[in-house]
Amino acid sequence: MPRLLSFLLLICTSAGLAAQPGNNNYLNNADSDPAATRLVNELREKYEGYRTIQADFRLVIDIPGSEVETQTGKLSRSGEKFHFSLGNQEGISDGEAVYFILHGSEEIQISNVPEPGETDGLLTPQSIFSFYDSGQFILSLQGEDTQNGRVVEVIELKPSDRDNSDFTKMRMLVDKNRTEVVSVVAFARDGSRFTFHLDETVANESIPANRFTYDKSRYEGYYESDLRF
């Protein structure tokens, strides 16, 4: 899978999040904070119960030496199928292949659908509502905060394999009353920061089947790069 797709939905610190003391005694996923584990289990059960999910989101990109950039996008998911749009990029998966479309350069990259577990711990369209349950993070509940009038619970996620992770940590904000992901925060090792905000999430509404279908005729003149094996 293209690296840009794998890390497309990475994020960093939500503006105004107050630093709170955390428990630093957890060394692996099995030793994660029971309160944090209980909360992510509630999230998993809720999102797995949805037939479809649609979401509007914002991605804030903060790279050292560059101006902060904000992009808006839309995401649809039904089972293993998904579609997203973000700026001049588009991603489609029909459950059999992944099509990553770069409208700016008129290029289409075609990849195999990742094997189970291959994208664990990565924030991709098919895992944004479940990445925290991959078993690759040490979880700790950092307390509560208020974001735009919403009471949120703050979960810190540190990679179990820190030497091979691109991130030093992530932080997820969960609406306490609705048990929904509000935003996810990731800190990259190179100092880059990415903030992914879920602005609106709608569940169980019908989605046209062709939204998850790649139609080559829509991209006349685009160069196809088939990376499947």
Side-chain angles (χ1 to χ4, degrees), residues 9-73:
L9 304 181
L10 289 181
I11 51 219
C12 184
T13 320
S14 297
L17 179 63
Q20 306 214 15
N23 190 330
N24 296 317
N25 296 325
Y26 306 116
L27 301 177
N28 54 61
N29 180 258
D31 293 329
S32 287
D33 182 351
T37 301
R38 185 163 51 249
L39 182 54
V40 299
N41 284 339
E42 291 175 4
L43 286 170
R44 184 191 69 244
E45 291 175 4
K46 179 170 185 174
Y47 288 128
E48 284 185 350
Y50 291 153
R51 179 172 45 84
T52 65
I53 297 177
Q54 299 179 83
D56 294 334
F57 63 88
R58 284 174 292 130
L59 176 64
V60 181
I61 305 169
D62 186 357
I63 298 175
S66 302
E67 293 186 6
V68 176
E69 179 183 358
T70 300
Q71 299 181 1
T72 59

Side-chain angles (χ1 to χ4, degrees), residues 1-11 57 75-77 80 82-84 98 114 118-132 167 170 184 196:
M1 173 174 287
R3 189 175 189 275
L4 182 56
L5 174 59
S6 295
F7 295 96
L8 181 62
L9 304 181
L10 289 181
I11 51 219
F57 63 88
L75 166 67
S76 301
R77 195 189 74 180
E80 296 302 313
F82 68 80
H83 176 276
F84 75 84
V98 177
E118 185 178 341
T119 59
D120 281 354
L122 300 182
L123 292 174
T124 62
Q126 69 270 37
S127 70
I128 184 60
F129 295 102
S130 61
F131 79 96
Y132 46 80
F167 322 111
M170 295 186 185
V184 184
F196 178 82

Side-chain angles (χ1 to χ4, degrees), residues 186-201:
F187 298 83
R189 289 191 177 277
D190 65 359
S192 298
R193 295 184 173 187
F194 307 84
T195 305
F196 178 82
H197 299 276
L198 280 168
D199 291 324
E200 183 178 4
T201 302

Side-chain angles (χ1 to χ4, degrees), residues 133-150:
D133 197 39
S134 67
Q136 296 190 12
F137 295 104
I138 305 163
L139 311 175
S140 62
L141 194 59
Q142 300 289 294
E144 296 182 0
D145 192 35
T146 301
Q147 295 281 304
N148 299 320
R150 304 168 73 179

